[in-house]
């Protein structure tokens, strides 16, 4: 069984996922699911029980022998705080080990103000959130941040984000960890949406593309069950793919003719204003669509066709099992229908034969879930379980060579 985004087979992360999803409710069930020796599974389960992550009580149904004790994720076993940052708003909350979002909050903020004021603002909000969770008796284990721009994989350092002066090479993870005294993960927001949707709503899919369509446009990729960041964290950045319909329009990235210039919420607001209709936000634009305004509806439908044009290349190249549309623009049915129509029109029949084209199940919580569960996974042992007394896996040779060089 491929564990994918749930950790290596037999790891603590993988075991917690199997228990929380109901796939395994006892040590014996874990042995059958993982194909590992009972002693191996027992050792890792006991570590998780001792750490307060799992509980073991009661008796389950017998399969011919002694009735097994039931495993559950401990409700008070700890949470990760999570922040899904946008350009002009943020959604914050806590995520527990079972993949639930607790007390989400939507707050205005301006990420273009620069790193220092944003960090100050975020630290204040996170401190309030941590106090709330601790008062409720839940241990705060980590903080996960979904950031609206490229992030260097494994480092939490922001790289060349468009429309965000002062953020290039800012070590966001390092600064937040020092300020808050918590383990911190920082990843791209669209990738975290993909992780949240995958782990909570579509764990059986190994190949998935999740599109974030809001004020900007991005996508997250799950490949072979794992989030795919690319070499520098830029995988999935469809926003800056050049399309013919955009002509010579200048883009915030410094190029011309990018998808963002004709299909993002910001672009649609600008186009409506040029037609004499002033709206202050993407939400107001969507209210016009819901009311049947012909100009707004036509713009949103056309944006869907532009997004579908770029996604058709992604689908033909990557061959995913599903394309899930998220973000505020994905609540507009004309946009979703347009994307679906273009994909069926332009993609190879083989790639669309079993392709699911839909909206996200996790909705506005997708980014929070991805950021929170990613942060929690770093606080669990990630190495696959080993037999008690077994020799450790070979990791010493590189260290010995490095020591020799120094």
């Amino acid at each position: 069984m491929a564990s994918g985004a749930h950790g290596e087979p037999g790891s603590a992360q993988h075991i917690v996922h199997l228990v929380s999803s109901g796939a395994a409710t006892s040590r014996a069930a874990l042995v059958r699911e993982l194909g590992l020796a009972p002693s191996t599974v027992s050792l890792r389960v006991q570590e998780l029980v001792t750490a307060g992550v799992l509980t073991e009580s009661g008796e389950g149904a017998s399969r011919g022998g002694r009735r097994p004790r039931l495993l559950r994720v401990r409700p008070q076993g700890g949470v990760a705080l999570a922040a899904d940052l946008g350009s002009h708003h943020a959604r914050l909350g806590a995520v527990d080990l079972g993949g639930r979002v607790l007390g989400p909050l939507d707050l205005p903020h301006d990420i273009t103000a620069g790193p220092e004021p944003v960090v100050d603002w975020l630290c204040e909000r996170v401190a309030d959130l941590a106090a709330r969770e601790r008062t409720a008796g839940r241990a705060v284990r980590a903080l996960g941040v979904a950031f609206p721009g490229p992030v260097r994989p494994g480092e939490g350092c922001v790289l060349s984000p468009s429309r965000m002066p002062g953020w290039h090479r800012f070590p966001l993870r390092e600064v937040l960890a020092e300020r808050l005294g918590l383990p911190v993960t920082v990843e791209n927001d669209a990738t975290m949406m993909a992780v949240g949707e995958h782990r909570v709503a579509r764990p059986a899919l190994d190949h998935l593309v999740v599109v974030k369509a809001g004020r900007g446009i991005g996508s997250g990729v799950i490949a072979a069950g794992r989030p795919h960041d690319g070499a520098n964290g830029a995988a999935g950045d469809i926003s800056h793919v050049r399309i013919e319909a955009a002509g010579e329009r200048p883009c915030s990235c410094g190029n011309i003719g990018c998808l963002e210039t004709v299909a993002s919420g910001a672009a649609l607001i600008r186009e409506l204003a040029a037609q004499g209709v002033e709206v202050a936000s993407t939400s107001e634009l969507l209210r016009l669509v819901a009311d049947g305004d012909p100009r707004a509806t036509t713009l949103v439908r056309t944006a869907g066709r532009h997004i579908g044009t770029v996604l058709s290349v992604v689908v033909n190249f990557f061959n995913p099992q599903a394309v899930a549309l998220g973000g505020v623009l994905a609540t507009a049915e004309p946009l979703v229908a347009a994307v679906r129509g273009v994909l069926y029109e332009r993609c190879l029949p083989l790639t669309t034969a079993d392709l699911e084209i839909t909206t996200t199940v996790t909705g506005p919580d997708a980014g929070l879930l991805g950021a929170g569960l990613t942060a929690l996974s770093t606080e669990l042992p990630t190495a696959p379980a080993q037999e008690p007394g077994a020799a450790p896996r070979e990791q010493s040779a590189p260290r010995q060579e490095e020591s020799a060089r120094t």
Side-chain angles (χ1 to χ4, degrees), residues 43 103 115 226 242 268 315 366:
L43 175 65
R226 300 176 182 275
R242 187 168 183 175
L268 299 186
V315 169

Side-chain angles (χ1 to χ4, degrees), residues 368-396:
L368 282 185
L369 287 165
L373 292 172
T374 298
L376 282 172
S377 71
T378 65
E379 290 305 292
L380 296 174
T382 55
Q386 292 180 243
E387 294 285 352
R393 290 170 175 78
E394 277 189 45
Q395 295 178 335
S396 56

Side-chain angles (χ1 to χ4, degrees), residues 164-188:
M164 298 179 200
W167 280 99
H168 180 50
R169 296 192 181 279
F170 185 77
L172 184 56
R173 184 183 71 176
E174 180 183 321
V175 171
L176 288 174
E178 184 176 346
R179 287 277 298 271
L180 295 167
L182 282 172
V184 176
T185 60
V186 177
E187 305 288 348
N188 171 260

Side-chain angles (χ1 to χ4, degrees), residues 84 89 189-190 193-194 197 210-219 265 282-283 286 307 324-333 335-336 358-367:
D84 185 6
H89 78 283
D189 61 342
M193 277 188 65
E197 179 75 4
V210 175
V211 178
K212 182 176 184 179
R215 194 171 184 89
I217 304 172
S219 71
T282 309
S283 297
L286 293 176
I307 294 170
L325 303 174
V328 65
L329 283 181
T331 61
E333 179 54 35
L335 181 138
V336 176
T358 184
T359 55
T360 56
V361 175
T362 50
D365 286 334

